Amino acid sequence: MVYIVFLGAPGAGKGTQAASMARKLKLAHIATGDLFRQALERGTELGLKAKSYMEKGVLVPDQITIDMVLERISAPDSGGGAVFDGFPRNLKQAEALGEALARQGKAIDKAVYIKVSEEELLERLSGRRVCRQCQAPCHMSDSPPRVEGRCDRCGGELSQRPAATEVSIKKRLEVYSDETAPLIDYYRRAGKLLEVAGEGGVEVVGNRIVAALGGERL
Ligand code: ADP
Ligand code: ZN
């Protein structure tokens, strides 16, 4: 059983890397942003609850998020372990996750922190677009849409995230540095942190992560 947490600022590339590591290690990929977007797309109660927070770029309340994740890790495909992406996002979530795993005699094995300079983050984030209909993200230079201005997933119209203004990008980075960045120390103190440089292409960074995890006995 292997449980890995991915940490990094918005724009650090942790979603891409977490998905690829989950495939390589045959672990479930649990991405809370994706779970919320799916719920929103389906129009479920969870989606409606999460909507306004997501639009503002602030965190969805902890209890909603924690309940959703705990339900997800009890699903059958989480049996071999999981890669967490976008969760935990603050100390309360980290503690809730640790306690829930401990109740089953399990624990987080490693936290992979993808480190990118603030300057680079701002540049990457301002190229992001999001689908007006299903909220799926894409990036104009890294993963441009197949049809210009249209979502690859549902064909909906792409907009700059209402968020993708300079101000709200700053807001999301601020939420990250206030609430999520303390988790770097939290996992470092627990002896679980692996720090990886996030500059460079997707493959280069992926290889660094494989090398860092490969040196560990999981
Ligand atoms: P980003 O847009 O920063 O890449 P995600 O796609 O991971 O982030 O998440 C989108 C939004 O979903 C966040 O801005 C937040 O409102 C909500 N969200 C995702 N994960 C969490 C979490 N662990 N706790 C609270 N809210 C979350
Ligand atoms: Zn779409």
Side-chain angles (χ1 to χ4, degrees):
M1 209 81 70
V2 177
Y3 291 96
I4 301 170
V5 163
F6 271 71
L7 296 174
K14 79 183 144 39
T16 310
Q17 298 297 345
S20 126
M21 284 312 297
R23 264 196 312 277
K24 280 185 191 141
L25 299 172
K26 298 192 167 57
L27 302 173
H29 175 211
I30 301 180
T32 44
D34 291 349
L35 292 174
F36 284 132
R37 274 185 290 271
Q38 281 159 18
L40 199 63
E41 207 175 338
R42 290 197 200 109
T44 65
E45 198 184 325
L46 175 70
L48 290 176
K49 278 189 200 154
K51 189 170 193 264
S52 65
Y53 302 101
M54 295 175 75
E55 283 170 353
K56 287 188 209 113
V58 298
L59 298 186
V60 175
D62 287 332
Q63 207 50 55
I64 297 176
T65 309
I66 291 165
D67 288 348
M68 176 179 77
V69 172
L70 297 191
E71 191 189 314
R72 182 68 183 75
I73 46 178
S74 64
D77 74 315
S78 303
V83 169
F84 294 100
D85 165 7
F87 182 89
R89 226 153 164 128
N90 60 27
L91 284 169
K92 180 146 183 243
Q93 294 181 6
E95 279 159 7
L97 178 62
E99 283 160 18
L101 290 175
R103 280 198 289 276
Q104 305 174 35
K106 304 169 189 163
I108 293 297
D109 295 286
K110 289 291 158 193
V112 175
Y113 166 42
I114 305 180
K115 192 175 180 177
V116 174
S117 73
E118 180 145 357
E119 201 186 351
E120 166 93 13
L121 289 175
L122 282 171
E123 200 182 298
R124 290 186 186 180
L125 288 171
S126 49
R128 276 197 191 180
R129 297 288 184 281
V130 71
C131 173
R132 282 183 193 279
Q133 204 160 295
C134 78
Q135 311 290 313
C138 74
H139 195 283
M140 298 319 280
S141 48
D142 298 352
S143 60
R146 287 192 292 269
V147 178
E148 205 187 311
R150 291 281 152 192
C151 171
D152 282 349
R153 199 153 108 198
C154 78
E157 184 196 348
L158 293 177
S159 66
Q160 264 213 352
R161 235 180 242 255
T165 61
E166 201 73 359
V167 174
S168 62
I169 289 171
K170 289 230 164 83
K171 176 71 194 163
R172 285 198 295 143
L173 288 173
E174 200 181 288
V175 170
Y176 169 78
S177 70
D178 290 350
E179 306 202 37
T180 311
L183 295 179
I184 297 164
D185 263 341
Y186 175 83
Y187 286 113
R188 185 182 285 129
R189 278 198 298 273
K192 296 180 175 174
L193 196 77
L194 295 173
E195 197 170 308
V196 171
E199 270 100 7
V202 170
E203 212 164 315
V204 173
V205 177
N207 289 338
R208 287 185 196 128
I209 295 171
V210 170
L213 283 169
E216 303 292 327
R217 295 200 166 269
L218 288 179

